[in-house]
Amino acid sequence: MELRQVRYFVMVAQELHFGRAAEKLHIVQSAVSQQIRRLERELRTELFDRSARQVRLTAVGERFLPEARALLAAEQRARAVVAELTAGCAATLRVGTSTGLGAHLDRVLETLAGLAPEIRVELVAAPARERLARVASGGLDAAFLRGEPHDAERDGLRFVPLWQDPLVAVVPARHPLAASPGTVALAALASVPLVLTARRNNRALVDLVVDACHGAGFTPAPGPAYGSLDDTLTAIGAAGASDGLWTVVYASHAARLSTPRVAFLPFRTPGMELTTSLAVRRTDPPAGAEQLLRACEPARLTDDGAGSDLDR
């Protein structure tokens, strides 16, 4: 078994598509397929069910996946140890992030640099489930997460609430709602198709928005799917005033976007926000984790929210 094969397996398991996995690995699809076939021959079992139209993990593949991630995490830890010993470099914190943390992340990193200038921070972008799995296995030292994790994702981790991330509506700049100053009520968007990522990509966000629409008395009409937020904003900006589209972004992200063809409107409806937390391991926390938590403390929720006890 080669680590390269394990790495390819994890990427295909994440994407459930050989072509997309190959693109992310920057190699040809045939090389991915060939190496995974070799891995399956080595293990004497199939890891993927290729009979259906969609690639799926077999039962063995499902069980092998966390062990494969642990192997890759062990490789990263071994490399980090050697790098520190041979180069004498300072401690490195590997922190999982997501889009749109904006000024919050800037503030945390600036505070950490003042508290512990010897600590270098490596930011790693990954889907939420992968971030938490990598923290649990040691592949990451901590990770930011918006919304509540699944019960299964809590094993071995503690979640420290940090701040609230409010959402804003995104509509075409030519839409009548964009001409109205102030906030927008969800009910005013009832007839406009909503563009959201798939629920599997961001369960907390999708559930919040859809449930809020139901609470406002309507089921959102689904808009077309786009491959990225940039594509979504471009499509919304190009939509006409009468047949527009809408989506949501975090206010902290909207503050950094320069897209004059769309308008960002704060919600009048209460509760359109998600709590951002920092996930760390409960046992054997890495060096620097406590300093990172202390750097987050100025932005922590107050006692009427989450309190200020770092050990909670």
Side-chain angles (χ1 to χ4, degrees):
M1 184 189 304
E2 299 178 8
L3 285 174
R4 174 182 57 173
Q5 297 167 342
V6 176
R7 191 172 297 110
Y8 291 2
F9 163 75
V10 169
M11 184 60 72
V12 175
Q14 174 184 314
E15 297 296 323
L16 293 178
H17 192 283
F18 281 83
R20 289 196 298 268
E23 289 179 6
K24 291 199 171 185
L25 291 165
H26 304 292
I27 58 176
V28 296
Q29 180 176 338
S30 59
V32 176
S33 300
Q34 182 183 56
Q35 291 301 321
I36 288 181
R37 282 295 190 191
R38 289 180 178 177
L39 177 60
E40 289 175 324
R41 287 197 295 270
E42 173 75 18
L43 297 175
R44 299 181 181 179
T45 187
E46 290 191 346
L47 300 173
F48 292 102
D49 179 5
R50 303 168 177 84
S51 59
R53 294 181 63 183
Q54 182 180 12
V55 176
R56 301 178 184 273
L57 284 166
T58 63
V60 175
E62 291 275 6
R63 182 65 186 85
F64 180 63
L65 180 57
E67 305 300 331
R69 284 178 168 148
L71 277 174
L72 298 181
E75 177 201 15
Q76 291 180 346
R77 290 195 299 272
R79 289 180 180 275
V81 167
V82 172
E84 290 187 12
L85 291 176
T86 56
C89 60
T92 298
L93 275 177
R94 296 155 298 171
V95 181
T97 64
S98 61
T99 300
L101 292 175
H104 292 301
L105 183 59
D106 290 343
R107 183 167 54 249
V108 168
L109 295 180
E110 183 178 357
T111 304
L112 179 62
L115 291 173
E118 74 281 2
I119 294 178
R120 186 174 71 90
V121 178
E122 177 185 339
L123 300 178
V124 179
R129 292 181 64 182
E130 182 181 341
R131 290 200 301 273
L132 297 185
R134 292 174 68 175
V135 173
S137 67
L140 290 175
D141 299 313
F144 292 99
L145 176 75
R146 291 189 181 99
E148 289 293 321
H150 289 289
D151 290 340
E153 295 170 337
R154 291 180 175 274
D155 291 346
L157 300 178
R158 67 181 176 121
F159 296 84
V160 183
L162 301 179
W163 57 74
Q164 296 288 8
D165 262 323
L167 294 167
V168 295
V170 186
V171 300
R174 296 178 292 172
H175 197 280
L177 289 172
S180 303
T183 58
V184 62
L186 263 176
L189 297 164
S191 62
V192 185
L194 169 63
V195 180
L196 277 183
T197 185
R199 187 174 184 269
R200 64 179 180 274
N201 297 332
N202 196 332
R203 177 184 61 88
L205 174 68
V206 172
D207 286 354
L208 172 66
V209 175
V210 173
D211 290 348
C213 291
H214 290 164
F218 70 97
T219 297
Y226 298 99
S228 67
L229 178 60
D230 286 343
D231 291 343
T232 299
L233 296 182
T234 299
I236 291 175
S242 60
D243 58 346
L245 302 168
W246 73 285
T247 189
V248 295
V249 298
Y250 295 102
S252 54
H253 193 192
R256 297 194 168 189
L257 292 173
S258 178
T259 50
R261 299 183 69 188
V262 303
F264 301 103
L265 307 176
F267 284 104
R268 190 178 311 156
T269 308
M272 295 297 289
E273 59 187 15
L274 287 172
T275 300
T276 292
S277 302
L278 187 71
V280 294
R281 290 191 298 278
R282 288 189 177 275
T283 59
D284 191 27
E290 188 63 27
Q291 289 93 328
L292 177 60
L293 285 168
R294 293 196 180 281
C296 292
E297 192 170 15
R300 295 289 309 284
L301 297 172
T302 57
D303 286 344
D304 60 354
S308 59
D309 180 4
L310 290 177
D311 295 325
R312 179 167 7 212

